[in-house]
Amino acid sequence: MDTASQYSSTTTAVLLVDPYNDFLSAGGKLAEMARPVAESVNTVAHMRTVVARARQAGLPIFYVPHHRARPDDLQGWRHPTPYALGAHKHQVFAEGSWGGEWHPDFRPQPGDVIVKEHWGGSGFANTDLDLLLKQHGVSRVIMVGLLANTCIETTARFASELGYHVTLAGRDGRLQPAGHDRRARHQRPDLCACHSHHGGAGRQPERLSEGGFRAAGSAPGSSGRRAPPTRHPPRR
């Protein structure tokens, strides 16, 4: 079966995660933190490529946005996580602010699906993403967006647990099916996608083409050793 038929527009969707100004635009609250890696792997350019070619192929785009901060968000919360506390302190993606608006290159178009905002790392937890995907007949998802080791990884793992076929968009525009390499190696802990933090040598990735999706002739190269995943001690 050719790649284009595997990534059919009737069963495949792109999950575009957190394409906010605060992440992707100069002056954004998190942009400077992400800039060195984002520039080195051409994050925005690759995101544009994946989204544009997916649109050309008729694949639906699902926006998977993080919660837009408000000053009273955590009032009365019993167990806010350090992640939530940090986002609240800095009012990341603040509601009504420029930073909480979509990057100009990734504004929704007619027919795009806007998912309810997620509070943590997963675009599925406490949102309607799973329901919307099922209602649209989607069984394969292509992940692009921010950040690779937080929302991208968590959403991808959650999707896999729910039975979806998950594909991660790579640093060179290739598509890498997740899960066939159990090592799940990270390239950089602060990486803002669009590139895969799952690698593998046993299967050739697919490359996006102007006409849709087609198999690539060779696997992407890599430079330098990748850092192993962070392991946390079990809670007592």
Side-chain angles (χ1 to χ4, degrees), residues 118-211:
H118 53 272
W119 286 83
S122 172
F124 286 95
N126 305 308
T127 76
D128 56 355
L129 177 54
D130 186 43
L131 172 66
L132 291 172
L133 290 172
K134 288 176 177 175
Q135 289 294 333
H136 284 79
V138 173
S139 60
R140 289 172 172 261
V141 294
I142 298 171
M143 305 288 308
V144 293
L146 296 299
L147 292 164
N149 69 312
T150 52
C151 293
I152 294 294
E153 178 178 10
T154 307
T155 302
R157 290 182 183 276
F158 209 125
S160 180
E161 292 290 336
L162 292 173
Y164 292 95
H165 179 281
V166 180
T167 297
L168 304 176
R171 68 163 61 200
D172 57 357
R174 297 170 190 255
L175 300 181
Q176 180 67 65
H180 68 278
D181 183 347
R182 297 179 182 177
R183 288 170 291 182
R185 296 167 294 183
H186 291 270
Q187 289 184 324
R188 282 288 298 273
D190 59 344
L191 179 66
C192 64
C194 166
H195 80 272
S196 171
H197 56 291
H198 292 260
R203 179 175 176 179
Q204 292 182 347
E206 294 106 15
R207 181 185 294 278
L208 289 164
S209 68
E210 294 296 340

Coordinates of all heavy atoms in Angstrom, one line a residue, residues 118-211:
H118 N -6.6 22.5 26.6 CA -6.1 21.6 27.6 C -5.3 22.3 28.7 O -4.6 23.3 28.5 CB -5.2 20.5 27.0 CG -4.1 21.0 26.2 ND1 -4.2 21.2 24.8 CD2 -2.8 21.2 26.5 CE1 -3.0 21.6 24.4 NE2 -2.2 21.6 25.4
W119 N -5.4 21.8 30.0 CA -4.8 22.4 31.1 C -3.4 21.9 31.4 O -2.5 22.6 31.9 CB -5.6 22.2 32.4 CG -6.9 23.0 32.4 CD1 -8.1 22.7 31.8 CD2 -7.1 24.3 33.1 NE1 -9.0 23.7 32.1 CE2 -8.4 24.7 32.9 CE3 -6.2 25.1 33.9 CZ2 -8.9 25.9 33.4 CZ3 -6.8 26.2 34.4 CH2 -8.1 26.6 34.2
G120 N -3.2 20.7 31.0 CA -1.9 20.0 31.3 C -1.1 19.8 30.0 O -1.2 20.5 29.1
G121 N -0.4 18.6 30.0 CA 0.4 18.3 28.8 C -0.4 17.6 27.7 O 0.0 17.8 26.5
S122 N -1.5 16.9 28.0 CA -2.2 16.2 27.0 C -3.3 16.9 26.4 O -4.2 17.6 27.1 CB -2.8 14.9 27.6 OG -3.6 14.2 26.7
G123 N -3.4 16.9 25.1 CA -4.5 17.5 24.4 C -5.8 16.7 24.5 O -6.9 17.2 24.1
F124 N -5.7 15.5 25.0 CA -6.9 14.7 25.2 C -7.6 14.8 26.6 O -8.8 14.8 26.7 CB -6.6 13.2 25.0 CG -6.3 12.8 23.6 CD1 -5.1 12.8 23.1 CD2 -7.4 12.5 22.8 CE1 -4.8 12.4 21.7 CE2 -7.2 12.1 21.4 CZ -5.9 12.1 20.9
A125 N -6.7 14.9 27.7 CA -7.2 14.9 29.0 C -8.1 16.1 29.3 O -7.8 17.3 29.0 CB -6.1 14.9 30.0
N126 N -9.4 15.9 29.7 CA -10.4 16.9 30.0 C -10.7 17.8 28.9 O -11.1 19.0 29.1 CB -9.8 17.8 31.2 CG -9.5 16.9 32.4 OD1 -10.3 16.1 32.9 ND2 -8.2 17.1 32.9
T127 N -10.6 17.3 27.7 CA -11.1 18.0 26.5 C -12.0 17.2 25.6 O -12.3 16.0 26.0 CB -9.9 18.5 25.6 OG1 -9.4 17.3 24.9 CG2 -8.7 19.1 26.4
D128 N -12.4 17.7 24.5 CA -13.3 17.0 23.6 C -12.6 16.4 22.4 O -13.2 16.0 21.4 CB -14.5 17.8 23.1 CG -14.0 19.1 22.5 OD1 -12.8 19.4 22.5 OD2 -14.9 19.9 22.0
L129 N -11.2 16.3 22.4 CA -10.4 15.9 21.3 C -10.8 14.5 20.8 O -11.0 14.3 19.6 CB -8.9 16.0 21.6 CG -8.0 15.5 20.5 CD1 -8.3 16.3 19.1 CD2 -6.5 15.7 20.9
D130 N -10.9 13.6 21.7 CA -11.2 12.2 21.3 C -12.5 12.1 20.7 O -12.7 11.5 19.6 CB -11.1 11.3 22.5 CG -11.3 9.8 22.2 OD1 -10.7 9.3 21.2 OD2 -12.0 9.1 22.9
L131 N -13.5 12.8 21.2 CA -14.9 12.8 20.7 C -14.9 13.4 19.3 O -15.5 12.8 18.4 CB -15.8 13.6 21.6 CG -17.2 13.8 21.1 CD1 -18.0 12.5 20.9 CD2 -18.0 14.8 22.0
L132 N -14.2 14.5 19.1 CA -14.2 15.2 17.8 C -13.5 14.3 16.7 O -14.0 14.2 15.6 CB -13.6 16.5 17.9 CG -14.3 17.6 18.7 CD1 -13.5 18.8 18.9 CD2 -15.6 17.9 18.0
L133 N -12.4 13.7 17.1 CA -11.7 12.8 16.1 C -12.6 11.7 15.7 O -12.7 11.3 14.5 CB -10.4 12.3 16.7 CG -9.3 13.3 16.9 CD1 -8.1 12.7 17.7 CD2 -8.8 13.9 15.6
K134 N -13.2 11.0 16.7 CA -14.1 9.9 16.4 C -15.3 10.3 15.5 O -15.7 9.6 14.6 CB -14.6 9.2 17.7 CG -13.5 8.5 18.4 CD -13.9 7.9 19.7 CE -12.8 7.1 20.4 NZ -13.2 6.6 21.7
Q135 N -15.9 11.5 15.8 CA -17.0 11.9 15.0 C -16.6 12.3 13.6 O -17.5 12.2 12.7 CB -17.6 13.2 15.7 CG -18.4 12.9 17.0 CD -19.6 12.0 16.8 OE1 -20.2 12.0 15.7 NE2 -20.0 11.3 17.8
H136 N -15.4 12.6 13.4 CA -14.9 12.9 12.0 C -14.3 11.7 11.4 O -13.8 11.8 10.3 CB -13.8 14.0 12.1 CG -14.4 15.4 12.3 ND1 -14.8 15.9 13.5 CD2 -14.7 16.4 11.4 CE1 -15.3 17.1 13.4 NE2 -15.3 17.4 12.1
G137 N -14.4 10.5 12.0 CA -13.9 9.3 11.4 C -12.4 9.2 11.4 O -11.8 8.4 10.6
V138 N -11.7 9.9 12.2 CA -10.2 9.9 12.2 C -9.6 8.7 13.1 O -10.0 8.5 14.2 CB -9.7 11.2 12.8 CG1 -8.1 11.2 12.9 CG2 -10.1 12.4 11.9
S139 N -8.7 8.0 12.5 CA -8.0 6.9 13.2 C -6.5 7.1 13.2 O -5.8 6.4 13.9 CB -8.4 5.5 12.6 OG -8.0 5.5 11.2
R140 N -6.0 8.1 12.3 CA -4.6 8.4 12.2 C -4.4 9.8 12.5 O -5.1 10.7 12.0 CB -4.0 8.0 10.9 CG -3.9 6.6 10.5 CD -3.5 6.3 9.1 NE -3.3 4.9 8.8 CZ -2.1 4.4 8.8 NH1 -1.0 5.2 8.9 NH2 -1.9 3.1 8.5
V141 N -3.4 10.2 13.4 CA -3.1 11.6 13.7 C -1.6 11.9 13.4 O -0.8 11.0 13.6 CB -3.5 11.9 15.1 CG1 -5.0 11.8 15.3 CG2 -2.7 11.0 16.1
I142 N -1.4 13.0 12.8 CA 0.0 13.5 12.6 C 0.2 14.7 13.5 O -0.6 15.7 13.5 CB 0.1 14.0 11.1 CG1 -0.1 12.8 10.1 CG2 1.5 14.6 10.9 CD1 -0.2 13.2 8.7
M143 N 1.2 14.6 14.3 CA 1.5 15.6 15.4 C 2.5 16.6 14.9 O 3.6 16.3 14.5 CB 2.1 14.9 16.6 CG 1.2 13.8 17.2 SD -0.3 14.3 18.0 CE 0.4 15.5 19.1
V144 N 2.1 17.9 15.0 CA 3.0 19.0 14.8 C 2.7 20.1 15.9 O 1.6 20.2 16.3 CB 2.9 19.7 13.4 CG1 3.4 18.7 12.4 CG2 1.5 20.1 13.1
G145 N 3.8 20.8 16.3 CA 3.5 21.9 17.2 C 4.6 22.0 18.3 O 5.7 21.6 18.1
L146 N 4.2 22.4 19.5 CA 5.0 22.8 20.6 C 4.5 22.1 21.9 O 3.3 21.9 22.0 CB 5.0 24.3 20.9 CG 5.5 25.3 19.9 CD1 6.9 25.1 19.6 CD2 4.6 25.3 18.6
L147 N 5.4 21.8 22.8 CA 6.8 21.5 22.8 C 7.0 20.0 22.6 O 6.1 19.2 23.1 CB 7.5 22.0 24.0 CG 7.6 23.5 24.3 CD1 8.0 23.7 25.8 CD2 8.7 24.1 23.4
A148 N 8.1 19.5 22.1 CA 8.2 18.1 21.8 C 8.1 17.2 23.1 O 7.6 16.2 23.0 CB 9.5 17.9 21.1
N149 N 8.8 17.7 24.2 CA 8.9 16.8 25.3 C 7.7 17.1 26.3 O 7.7 16.5 27.4 CB 10.2 17.0 26.0 CG 10.3 18.3 26.7 OD1 10.1 19.4 26.1 ND2 10.8 18.4 27.9
T150 N 6.8 17.9 26.0 CA 5.6 18.2 26.9 C 4.4 17.8 26.1 O 3.9 16.7 26.1 CB 5.6 19.6 27.4 OG1 5.7 20.5 26.4 CG2 6.8 19.8 28.4
C151 N 3.7 18.8 25.5 CA 2.4 18.6 24.9 C 2.4 17.6 23.8 O 1.5 16.9 23.6 CB 1.8 19.9 24.6 SG 1.4 21.0 26.0
I152 N 3.5 17.7 22.9 CA 3.5 16.8 21.8 C 3.7 15.3 22.3 O 2.9 14.5 21.9 CB 4.7 17.1 20.8 CG1 4.5 18.5 20.2 CG2 4.9 16.1 19.8 CD1 3.3 18.6 19.2
E153 N 4.6 15.1 23.1 CA 4.9 13.7 23.6 C 3.7 13.2 24.4 O 3.2 12.1 24.2 CB 6.1 13.7 24.5 CG 6.3 12.3 25.1 CD 7.6 12.2 25.9 OE1 8.2 13.2 26.2 OE2 7.9 11.0 26.3
T154 N 3.1 14.0 25.3 CA 2.0 13.6 26.1 C 0.8 13.3 25.3 O 0.1 12.3 25.5 CB 1.7 14.6 27.2 OG1 2.9 14.9 27.9 CG2 0.7 14.1 28.2
T155 N 0.5 14.2 24.3 CA -0.7 14.0 23.5 C -0.5 12.8 22.6 O -1.4 12.0 22.4 CB -0.9 15.2 22.6 OG1 -1.1 16.4 23.5 CG2 -2.2 15.1 21.8
A156 N 0.7 12.6 22.1 CA 1.0 11.4 21.2 C 0.8 10.1 22.0 O 0.3 9.2 21.5 CB 2.4 11.5 20.6
R157 N 1.4 10.1 23.2 CA 1.3 8.9 24.0 C -0.2 8.6 24.3 O -0.7 7.4 24.3 CB 2.1 9.0 25.3 CG 3.6 9.0 25.0 CD 4.4 9.1 26.3 NE 5.8 9.1 26.1 CZ 6.6 8.0 26.0 NH1 6.0 6.8 26.0 NH2 7.9 8.1 25.8
F158 N -0.9 9.6 24.7 CA -2.4 9.5 25.0 C -3.1 8.9 23.8 O -4.0 8.0 23.9 CB -2.9 10.8 25.5 CG -4.1 10.7 26.4 CD1 -4.0 11.4 27.6 CD2 -5.2 10.0 26.1 CE1 -5.1 11.3 28.5 CE2 -6.3 9.9 27.0 CZ -6.2 10.6 28.2
A159 N -2.8 9.5 22.6 CA -3.5 9.0 21.4 C -3.2 7.6 21.1 O -4.1 6.8 20.8 CB -3.0 9.9 20.2
S160 N -1.9 7.2 21.3 CA -1.6 5.8 21.1 C -2.3 4.9 22.1 O -2.8 3.8 21.7 CB -0.1 5.6 21.3 OG 0.3 4.2 21.1
E161 N -2.5 5.3 23.3 CA -3.2 4.5 24.3 C -4.7 4.4 23.9 O -5.3 3.4 24.3 CB -3.1 5.2 25.7 CG -1.7 5.1 26.3 CD -1.3 3.7 26.8 OE1 -2.2 2.9 27.0 OE2 -0.1 3.5 26.8
L162 N -5.2 5.4 23.3 CA -6.6 5.3 22.8 C -6.8 4.6 21.5 O -7.9 4.4 21.1 CB -7.1 6.7 22.7 CG -7.3 7.5 24.0 CD1 -7.7 9.0 23.7 CD2 -8.3 6.9 24.9
G163 N -5.7 4.1 20.9 CA -5.8 3.3 19.7 C -5.6 4.0 18.4 O -5.8 3.4 17.4
Y164 N -5.2 5.2 18.5 CA -4.9 6.0 17.2 C -3.5 5.6 16.7 O -2.6 5.3 17.4 CB -4.9 7.5 17.4 CG -6.3 8.0 17.8 CD1 -6.7 8.2 19.1 CD2 -7.2 8.4 16.8 CE1 -7.9 8.7 19.4 CE2 -8.4 8.9 17.1 CZ -8.8 9.0 18.4 OH -10.1 9.5 18.7
H165 N -3.4 5.6 15.3 CA -2.1 5.5 14.7 C -1.4 6.9 14.8 O -2.0 7.9 14.4 CB -2.2 5.1 13.3 CG -0.9 5.0 12.5 ND1 -0.2 6.1 12.0 CD2 -0.1 3.9 12.2 CE1 0.9 5.7 11.4 NE2 1.0 4.4 11.5
V166 N -0.2 7.0 15.4 CA 0.4 8.3 15.7 C 1.6 8.5 14.8 O 2.5 7.6 14.7 CB 0.8 8.4 17.1 CG1 1.4 9.8 17.4 CG2 -0.5 8.2 18.0
T167 N 1.7 9.6 14.2 CA 2.9 10.0 13.3 C 3.4 11.3 13.8 O 2.6 12.3 14.1 CB 2.5 10.1 11.9 OG1 2.1 8.8 11.4 CG2 3.7 10.5 11.0
L168 N 4.7 11.4 14.0 CA 5.4 12.7 14.4 C 6.1 13.3 13.2 O 6.8 12.6 12.4 CB 6.4 12.4 15.5 CG 5.8 11.7 16.7 CD1 6.9 11.4 17.7 CD2 4.8 12.6 17.4
A169 N 6.0 14.6 13.0 CA 6.6 15.3 11.9 C 8.1 15.6 12.3 O 8.4 16.1 13.4 CB 5.9 16.6 11.6
G170 N 9.0 15.2 11.4 CA 10.4 15.3 11.7 C 11.1 16.6 11.4 O 10.5 17.5 10.8
R171 N 12.3 16.8 11.8 CA 13.1 18.0 11.7 C 13.3 18.4 10.2 O 13.5 19.5 9.9 CB 14.4 18.0 12.4 CG 15.4 17.0 11.8 CD 16.8 17.3 12.3 NE 16.9 17.2 13.7 CZ 17.9 17.8 14.4 NH1 18.8 18.5 13.8 NH2 18.0 17.6 15.7
D172 N 13.2 17.4 9.3 CA 13.4 17.7 7.9 C 12.1 17.5 7.1 O 12.1 17.4 5.9 CB 14.5 16.7 7.3 CG 14.1 15.3 7.5 OD1 13.1 15.0 8.1 OD2 14.9 14.4 7.0
G173 N 11.0 17.5 7.8 CA 9.7 17.4 7.1 C 9.2 16.0 6.8 O 8.2 15.8 6.2
R174 N 10.0 15.0 7.3 CA 9.6 13.6 7.1 C 8.6 13.3 8.2 O 8.5 13.9 9.3 CB 10.8 12.7 7.2 CG 11.8 12.9 6.1 CD 13.1 12.1 6.4 NE 14.1 12.5 5.5 CZ 14.6 11.8 4.5 NH1 14.0 10.6 4.3 NH2 15.5 12.2 3.7
L175 N 7.8 12.2 7.9 CA 6.9 11.7 8.9 C 7.4 10.5 9.5 O 7.8 9.6 8.8 CB 5.5 11.5 8.2 CG 4.8 12.7 7.6 CD1 3.5 12.3 7.0 CD2 4.6 13.8 8.6
Q176 N 7.4 10.4 10.8 CA 7.9 9.2 11.5 C 6.9 8.5 12.3 O 6.4 9.1 13.4 CB 9.1 9.7 12.4 CG 9.8 8.5 13.2 CD 10.5 7.6 12.2 OE1 11.5 8.0 11.6 NE2 10.0 6.3 12.1
P177 N 6.3 7.4 11.9 CA 5.4 6.7 12.8 C 5.9 6.4 14.1 O 7.1 5.9 14.3 CB 5.1 5.4 12.0 CG 5.4 5.7 10.6 CD 6.6 6.6 10.7
A178 N 5.2 6.8 15.2 CA 5.7 6.6 16.5 C 5.5 5.2 17.0 O 4.6 4.5 16.6 CB 5.0 7.6 17.5
G179 N 6.3 4.7 17.9 CA 6.1 3.5 18.6 C 6.9 2.3 18.1 O 7.1 1.3 18.7
H180 N 7.5 2.4 16.8 CA 8.3 1.3 16.3 C 9.7 1.2 16.9 O 10.3 0.2 16.8 CB 8.3 1.3 14.8 CG 9.1 2.4 14.2 ND1 8.6 3.6 14.0 CD2 10.4 2.4 13.8 CE1 9.6 4.4 13.5 NE2 10.7 3.7 13.3
D181 N 10.1 2.3 17.5 CA 11.4 2.3 18.2 C 11.1 2.5 19.7 O 10.7 3.6 20.1 CB 12.2 3.5 17.7 CG 13.6 3.5 18.3 OD1 13.8 2.7 19.4 OD2 14.5 4.2 17.8
R182 N 11.3 1.5 20.5 CA 11.0 1.5 21.9 C 11.9 2.5 22.7 O 11.6 2.8 23.9 CB 11.0 0.1 22.5 CG 10.0 -0.8 21.8 CD 10.1 -2.2 22.4 NE 9.1 -3.1 21.7 CZ 9.0 -4.4 22.0 NH1 9.8 -4.9 22.9 NH2 8.1 -5.1 21.4
R183 N 13.0 2.9 22.1 CA 13.9 3.7 22.9 C 13.3 5.1 23.1 O 13.6 5.8 24.0 CB 15.2 3.8 22.2 CG 16.0 2.5 22.3 CD 17.2 2.6 21.4 NE 16.8 2.5 20.0 CZ 17.7 2.6 19.0 NH1 19.0 2.6 19.2 NH2 17.3 2.5 17.7
A184 N 12.4 5.6 22.2 CA 11.8 6.9 22.3 C 12.8 7.9 22.7 O 12.6 8.6 23.7 CB 10.6 6.8 23.3
R185 N 13.8 8.1 21.9 CA 14.9 9.0 22.3 C 14.6 10.5 22.1 O 14.0 10.9 21.1 CB 16.2 8.7 21.5 CG 16.7 7.3 21.7 CD 17.7 6.8 20.7 NE 17.0 6.7 19.4 CZ 17.7 6.4 18.3 NH1 19.0 6.1 18.4 NH2 17.1 6.3 17.1
H186 N 15.0 11.3 23.1 CA 14.8 12.7 23.0 C 16.1 13.4 22.3 O 17.2 13.0 22.6 CB 14.7 13.3 24.4 CG 13.4 12.9 25.1 ND1 12.3 13.7 25.0 CD2 13.1 11.9 25.8 CE1 11.3 13.1 25.7 NE2 11.8 12.0 26.2
Q187 N 15.8 14.4 21.5 CA 16.9 15.1 20.9 C 17.3 16.3 21.8 O 18.4 16.6 22.0 CB 16.5 15.6 19.5 CG 16.5 14.5 18.5 CD 16.2 15.0 17.1 OE1 15.4 15.9 17.0 NE2 16.8 14.3 16.2
R188 N 16.3 17.0 22.3 CA 16.6 18.1 23.2 C 15.4 18.3 24.1 O 14.3 18.3 23.7 CB 16.8 19.4 22.4 CG 18.1 19.6 21.8 CD 19.2 19.8 22.8 NE 19.0 21.1 23.5 CZ 19.5 22.2 23.1 NH1 20.1 22.3 21.9 NH2 19.3 23.3 23.8
P189 N 15.6 18.4 25.4 CA 14.5 18.6 26.3 C 13.7 19.9 26.2 O 12.6 20.0 26.6 CB 15.1 18.5 27.7 CG 16.5 18.9 27.5 CD 16.9 18.4 26.1
D190 N 14.3 20.9 25.6 CA 13.6 22.2 25.4 C 13.1 22.4 24.0 O 12.8 23.5 23.6 CB 14.6 23.3 25.8 CG 15.8 23.3 25.0 OD1 16.1 22.3 24.3 OD2 16.5 24.4 25.0
L191 N 13.1 21.3 23.2 CA 12.8 21.4 21.8 C 11.3 21.8 21.6 O 10.4 21.3 22.1 CB 13.0 20.1 21.1 CG 12.7 20.1 19.7 CD1 13.7 21.0 18.9 CD2 12.8 18.7 19.1
C192 N 11.1 22.8 20.7 CA 9.8 23.0 20.2 C 9.7 22.4 18.8 O 10.5 22.8 18.0 CB 9.4 24.5 20.3 SG 10.3 25.6 19.2
A193 N 8.7 21.5 18.7 CA 8.6 20.7 17.5 C 8.5 21.7 16.3 O 8.2 22.9 16.5 CB 7.4 19.8 17.6
C194 N 8.7 21.5 15.0 CA 8.2 20.3 14.4 C 9.3 19.4 14.0 O 9.8 19.5 12.9 CB 7.4 20.9 13.2 SG 6.9 19.7 12.0
H195 N 9.8 18.6 14.9 CA 10.6 17.4 14.5 C 10.4 16.4 15.5 O 9.9 16.6 16.6 CB 12.0 17.8 14.4 CG 12.8 17.9 15.7 ND1 12.9 19.0 16.4 CD2 13.5 16.9 16.4 CE1 13.6 18.8 17.5 NE2 13.9 17.5 17.5
S196 N 10.7 15.2 15.1 CA 10.4 14.0 16.0 C 11.4 13.8 17.1 O 12.6 14.0 16.8 CB 10.3 12.7 15.1 OG 10.2 11.6 15.9
H197 N 10.9 13.5 18.2 CA 11.8 13.1 19.3 C 11.8 11.6 19.5 O 12.3 11.0 20.4 CB 11.5 13.7 20.6 CG 10.1 13.5 21.0 ND1 9.0 14.1 20.4 CD2 9.5 12.8 22.1 CE1 7.9 13.7 21.0 NE2 8.2 13.0 22.0
H198 N 11.2 10.9 18.5 CA 11.2 9.4 18.4 C 12.0 9.1 17.2 O 11.6 9.5 16.1 CB 9.8 8.8 18.3 CG 9.0 9.0 19.6 ND1 8.9 8.0 20.5 CD2 8.3 10.0 20.1 CE1 8.1 8.4 21.5 NE2 7.8 9.7 21.3
G199 N 13.0 8.3 17.3 CA 13.8 7.9 16.1 C 13.8 6.4 15.9 O 13.4 5.7 16.7
G200 N 14.3 6.0 14.8 CA 14.3 4.6 14.5 C 15.1 4.2 13.3 O 15.1 5.0 12.3
A201 N 15.8 3.1 13.3 CA 16.5 2.7 12.1 C 15.9 1.5 11.3 O 16.3 1.2 10.3 CB 18.0 2.3 12.5
G202 N 14.8 1.0 11.9 CA 14.3 -0.2 11.3 C 13.3 0.1 10.2 O 12.9 -0.8 9.4
R203 N 12.8 1.3 10.1 CA 11.8 1.7 9.1 C 12.1 3.0 8.5 O 12.4 4.0 9.2 CB 10.4 1.6 9.8 CG 9.3 2.0 8.8 CD 8.0 1.8 9.6 NE 6.8 2.2 8.8 CZ 5.6 2.1 9.2 NH1 5.3 1.7 10.4 NH2 4.6 2.5 8.4
Q204 N 11.9 3.2 7.2 CA 12.2 4.5 6.6 C 11.0 5.4 6.8 O 9.8 5.0 6.5 CB 12.4 4.3 5.1 CG 13.7 3.5 4.8 CD 14.0 3.4 3.3 OE1 13.1 3.7 2.5 NE2 15.2 3.0 2.9
P205 N 11.3 6.6 7.2 CA 10.2 7.6 7.3 C 9.6 8.0 6.0 O 10.1 7.7 4.9 CB 10.8 8.8 8.0 CG 12.2 8.3 8.5 CD 12.5 7.2 7.6
E206 N 8.4 8.6 6.1 CA 7.8 9.1 4.9 C 8.0 10.6 4.8 O 8.1 11.3 5.7 CB 6.3 8.9 4.9 CG 5.9 7.4 4.8 CD 5.5 6.8 6.1 OE1 5.1 7.6 7.0 OE2 5.4 5.6 6.3
R207 N 8.2 11.1 3.5 CA 8.4 12.5 3.3 C 7.2 13.2 2.7 O 6.5 12.6 1.8 CB 9.6 12.7 2.4 CG 9.9 14.2 2.1 CD 11.0 14.4 1.1 NE 12.3 13.9 1.6 CZ 13.1 14.6 2.4 NH1 12.8 15.7 2.8 NH2 14.2 14.0 2.8
L208 N 6.9 14.4 3.1 CA 5.8 15.1 2.5 C 6.2 15.6 1.2 O 7.3 16.1 1.0 CB 5.4 16.3 3.4 CG 4.8 16.0 4.7 CD1 4.9 17.2 5.7 CD2 3.3 15.6 4.5
S209 N 5.3 15.5 0.2 CA 5.5 16.0 -1.1 C 4.4 16.9 -1.5 O 3.4 17.0 -0.8 CB 5.6 14.8 -2.1 OG 4.3 14.2 -2.3
E210 N 4.5 17.6 -2.6 CA 3.5 18.6 -3.0 C 2.2 17.9 -3.3 O 1.1 18.4 -3.1 CB 4.0 19.3 -4.3 CG 5.2 20.3 -4.0 CD 4.8 21.4 -3.1 OE1 3.7 21.7 -2.9 OE2 5.8 21.9 -2.5
G211 N 2.2 16.6 -3.8 CA 1.0 15.9 -4.1 C 0.4 15.2 -2.9 O -0.6 14.5 -3.1

